[in-house]
Amino acid sequence: MKKSKIDLYNYATILLGSFPILGLKKSVLAIILWALFSLIILISEKSYRLIEKKDKLNLVILTSYYLAFLISFFFIEDKKLATRFLEKNVAFLVFPLFMIINKSFFYKDTLRKSLNVFIISNIILASYIWIVILSNGYLKVMKSDTYYNPVIRNFFSDISQIHLPYLGILFVFSSLVILNDLFSTQKKITYFNAFRCLGISLLIFSVISFAARLSLFLFIIISLFLLFKKTSTVYVKISFIVSILVVIFLVFSIPSSKKRIDEIWNAKLILPNKSQKSEEVNFRYGIYHCVSFVLKENWIMGVGPGNVQKKLDNCYAGYTYKNYDDYTKIEYNSHNQYLDIWLKYGIFGLALFFVFLLWGIKNMNLHYGIFIFIIMAAMLTENIFDRQIGVVFFTFFNTLFFINRTDYFEKSIN
């Protein structure tokens, strides 16, 4: 293969890391074009001939989430729902398939450059949103921010077109990669490190402002782990701990964030009922109550992918709470990816799901470990794979991390 063709293929892969600012439609188009390019390489270079036994096993495991639903497709009555799922989750098939088969044609620094593009994209996105907010007057925006009109959160969700818990995950993962690089440098005080600090500050202040609570918690926990693992310099430790304290102070000081924290303290374990106002309803408690109700009778085999929402909706119908955000107006999923898998495929399906998630554990470096930890923690409160952004984020980086080796290109060039 000509080196120019290899270069172009790697550049195309690296550019996929810009999906946070591409938007849904452009991201899908970029993935389709990348898949076509990958297919051309597969056919023209006959890369399938280089597949080993372990590659076949890896391919089966890393595409198993998609394959499981593909098999279930024939047993689902609502074919429109099933087809939408197959379309939305095709990245579970595309990235492992082509990256594993064409693994010999990826440079050893493609992952690193993809991460850099991803980080820069998130910083650009956050910067643009803050420019819009500031152009509307920061104090004016903050004063108009209420429970029923969360202006700050609306700015971030409307402009980014990304559900805020997911945006928090993207921003925090970017921040932690920068932070790890910052702690790894021998010379701490440089202009480049100053820009790194500004990038982290921008991303984390954004997460505080739109109050992605789990993402903030993960940032604090993992950043402290990195601090004590990567540096022994006392002044660096003290400076960073002070920074973490500032973050915590801001969480409880900025109105948009404080309201979200107050929701946790004021939450009551009461099922939604007609005597409650919207701000008094513990929606997650209502959701988890119904999840446990459905699982009680179906914990071994599950109810099947096409029946989960129907079963939950039947349970939600028993709640007397009625408002603009009640359980008949909004489709509330299980808000926990593990529970969702359990509901769909039963306890054995859940066990296999953990195998799928942790298949690359033997080859994990620090960045990969942080990535998987964030994903698995986020799954406790969100159905990460129910949205396109979650699917693309996981499948793209999980597969790149998995195939990352230092000798692929050297072996393939001969």
Side-chain angles (χ1 to χ4, degrees):
M1 178 189 289
K2 292 182 180 179
K3 190 175 184 301
S4 58
K5 193 174 182 180
I6 300 174
D7 290 344
L8 185 58
Y9 186 47
N10 280 270
Y11 289 144
T13 304
I14 291 166
L15 287 175
L16 288 178
S18 63
F19 65 85
I21 57 174
L22 287 180
L24 178 58
K25 292 182 179 179
K26 291 179 182 177
S27 293
V28 170
L29 178 60
I31 292 171
I32 291 172
L33 293 175
W34 179 87
L36 291 173
F37 197 172
S38 298
L39 183 62
I40 291 171
I41 289 178
L42 186 152
I43 295 172
S44 63
E45 301 305 318
K46 298 180 174 59
S47 54
Y48 53 85
R49 293 180 177 179
L50 302 175
I51 296 179
E52 303 173 3
K53 282 187 177 180
K54 63 178 181 180
D55 294 325
K56 294 178 182 178
L57 178 60
N58 291 336
L59 189 54
V60 170
I61 298 297
L62 293 183
T63 59
S64 60
Y65 182 81
Y66 194 79
L67 295 177
F69 197 89
L70 193 60
I71 294 171
S72 303
F73 178 85
F74 301 100
F75 304 96
I76 297 175
E77 294 181 4
D78 190 344
K79 295 303 180 185
K80 289 184 178 180
L81 173 68
T83 301
R84 285 200 303 271
F85 181 94
L86 291 176
E87 292 174 351
K88 181 177 66 178
N89 291 278
V90 71
F92 278 105
L93 178 66
V94 169
F95 285 127
L97 176 65
F98 290 120
M99 285 187 182
I100 289 176
I101 294 178
N102 292 333
K103 67 182 187 298
S104 299
F105 302 111
F106 288 102
Y107 294 158
K108 62 183 181 181
D109 63 349
T110 296
L111 171 59
R112 176 72 256 186
K113 290 181 178 178
S114 298
L115 282 171
N116 289 341
V117 168
F118 172 74
I119 291 167
I120 292 170
S121 297
N122 282 307
I123 291 174
I124 292 173
L125 177 60
S127 300
Y128 176 70
I129 294 172
W130 277 113
I131 289 172
V132 174
I133 292 173
L134 293 175
S135 67
N136 283 269
Y138 179 72
L139 293 178
K140 179 182 177 182
V141 169
M142 293 301 290
K143 286 181 180 179
S144 61
D145 193 281
T146 65
Y147 175 86
Y148 291 100
N149 185 32
V151 181
I152 293 289
R153 289 172 60 82
N154 289 342
F155 269 116
F156 276 94
S157 61
D158 293 346
I159 295 174
S160 69
Q161 294 296 300
I162 298 173
H163 190 42
L164 294 183
Y166 295 73
L167 188 62
I169 293 169
L170 302 187
F171 282 8
V172 162
F173 179 60
S174 297
S175 300
L176 290 169
V177 173
I178 300 172
L179 189 63
N180 182 52
D181 293 341
L182 186 62
F183 286 153
S184 300
T185 57
Q186 293 183 347
K187 194 174 181 180
K188 304 296 183 186
I189 303 177
T190 64
Y191 287 115
F192 188 55
N193 284 344
F195 282 115
R196 282 172 166 164
C197 290
L198 286 173
I200 295 172
S201 300
L202 173 66
L203 293 173
I204 296 305
F205 185 72
S206 298
V207 177
I208 294 171
S209 297
F210 62 75
R213 295 168 295 195
L214 178 64
S215 296
L216 282 172
F217 176 75
L218 291 174
F219 173 77
I220 292 171
I221 296 299
I222 299 173
S223 63
L224 289 174
F225 165 77
L226 290 175
L227 175 68
F228 289 100
K229 179 180 176 62
K230 302 290 287 189
T231 182
S232 58
T233 309
V234 175
Y235 83 87
V236 173
K237 289 183 177 180
I238 294 174
S239 299
F240 189 75
I241 290 173
V242 170
S243 299
I244 291 297
L245 292 175
V246 170
V247 168
I248 295 172
F249 173 76
L250 290 174
V251 167
F252 288 93
S253 300
I254 295 176
S256 57
S257 175
K258 187 177 182 299
K259 283 195 291 286
R260 296 276 291 171
I261 298 300
D262 289 341
E263 287 179 20
I264 298 175
W265 303 133
N266 298 328
K268 297 179 180 179
L269 299 182
I270 300 174
L271 292 178
N273 59 78
K274 60 184 178 182
S275 66
Q276 294 175 306
K277 297 178 180 179
S278 179
E279 64 267 28
E280 297 172 333
V281 178
N282 190 333
F283 289 96
R284 285 184 182 270
Y285 183 65
I287 290 168
Y288 295 145
H289 169 79
C290 281
V291 169
S292 63
F293 177 80
V294 176
L295 280 178
K296 187 176 181 180
E297 300 293 330
N298 305 277
W299 68 275
I300 297 178
M301 299 301 295
V303 298
N307 298 316
V308 173
Q309 197 60 49
K310 293 177 184 177
K311 293 288 185 180
L312 291 177
D313 289 342
N314 288 339
C315 178
Y316 295 154
Y319 297 148
T320 58
Y321 169 72
K322 300 296 179 184
N323 209 329
Y324 72 97
D325 56 356
D326 66 36
Y327 292 83
T328 62
K329 303 288 195 309
I330 299 176
E331 188 176 86
Y332 290 97
N333 60 33
S334 62
H335 278 69
N336 182 303
Q337 191 71 62
Y338 306 112
L339 293 177
D340 181 64
I341 297 297
W342 196 352
L343 286 166
K344 286 176 178 175
Y345 302 110
I347 192 66
F348 300 109
L350 179 61
L352 292 175
F353 183 65
F354 280 105
V355 174
F356 161 72
L357 286 176
L358 297 171
W359 188 245
I361 194 168
K362 291 183 180 179
N363 302 316
M364 280 187 183
N365 56 27
L366 189 56
H367 282 160
Y368 194 6
I370 291 171
F371 172 77
I372 288 295
F373 182 79
I374 289 175
I375 288 292
M376 294 189 71
M379 286 180 176
L380 291 170
T381 60
E382 295 291 334
N383 289 18
I384 296 297
F385 299 156
D386 274 15
R387 292 180 184 263
Q388 190 90 46
I389 189 71
V391 172
V392 173
F393 176 56
F394 175 79
T395 54
F396 178 67
F397 282 116
N398 186 61
T399 315
L400 265 183
F401 276 123
F402 187 85
I403 68 164
N404 187 38
R405 304 288 186 277
T406 58
D407 59 348
Y408 281 166
F409 180 59
E410 287 80 3
K411 286 183 177 179
S412 66
I413 199 168
N414 294 326

